[in-house]
Amino acid sequence: MLQKILVAVDGSEYSKKALDFACELAAKFNASLHIVHVPQGAAADRVMVLGGASVMIHAGREQIETAGRTLIDAASKIAEEKLPGNVTTALRGGDPAAEIVASAKEYEADCIVIGSRGLGDFGGLLLGSVSHKVNHSAPCTCITVH
Ligand SMILES: Nc1ncnc2c1ncn2[C@@H]1O[C@H](COP(=O)(O)OP(=O)(O)OP(=O)(O)O)[C@@H](O)[C@H]1O
Ligand SMILES: [Mg+2]
């Protein structure tokens, strides 16, 4: 039933939780996992942490891309340990929600796993804007990890 799972990571603790959940799900169903990250510019410097990799990113484009690569490599390493040989990754450019949905279509994902919140600052909200948009336009089941 579940053969292809896509997980979106942004470097937040929420997306780490989504990654862990997606790995468990993929292991259970013997599915393959596709990890997607869309590097984003930051209004201010920020730190991204995932699986022991801590990256300080500044506003520069090159650094953002390098940080994105480091982030997705760290996510891939975590997933590979649990799903050896069943993990692929993609770094994409553009609007995060649109790119997550487009990659789910291209990958023909059966399921998208996404965090409820991300790196944004509005702690009071239940869902971040990327989560909200992906849930609305997902071509398949979307699991929001809280
Ligand atoms: N640039 C991105 N690349 C890949 N996945 C992302 C990206 N941004 C968000 N996500 C995914 O969406 C989830 C929710 O993040 P979202 O951005 O919606 O919340 P937020 O950052 O708290 O709010 P907002 O961005 O609206 O201020 C993340 O946990 C992650 O799974
Ligand atoms: Mg965000």
Side-chain angles (χ1 to χ4, degrees):
M1 188 184 117
L2 278 183
Q3 292 179 331
K4 290 176 158 195
I5 297 170
L6 181 144
V7 63
V9 296
D10 67 348
S12 65
E13 277 304 319
Y14 297 92
S15 74
K16 171 66 169 64
K17 232 175 138 180
L19 177 66
D20 289 342
F21 185 91
C23 286
E24 264 191 52
L25 201 60
K28 198 103 183 155
F29 284 90
N30 202 18
S32 37
L33 185 71
H34 190 53
I35 306 171
V36 176
H37 174 58
V38 186
Q40 289 292 286
D45 293 352
R46 64 169 49 141
V47 178
M48 298 197 298
V49 185
L50 205 149
S54 170
V55 192
M56 169 65 90
I57 60 168
H58 306 282
R61 189 197 152 102
E62 210 173 289
Q63 263 180 318
I64 289 163
E65 291 228 3
T66 306
R69 173 57 57 201
T70 305
L71 174 77
I72 208 157
D73 287 349
S76 172
K77 201 169 157 226
I78 290 169
E80 268 290 339
E81 276 175 22
K82 296 169 184 166
L83 309 160
N86 274 331
V87 180
T88 51
T89 61
L91 264 192
R92 304 187 52 125
D95 173 68
E99 291 303 318
I100 292 164
V101 169
S103 45
K105 287 180 183 159
E106 285 165 26
Y107 180 60
E108 298 182 333
D110 301 305
C111 171
I112 297 172
V113 180
I114 194 163
S116 57
R117 296 293 321 275
L119 290 171
D121 297 324
F122 302 102
L125 297 178
L126 187 63
L127 279 187
S129 59
V130 175
S131 226
H132 182 82
K133 284 187 212 159
V134 170
N135 268 281
H136 269 271
S137 47
C140 56
T141 298
C142 186
I143 300 177
T144 307
V145 177
H146 290 263

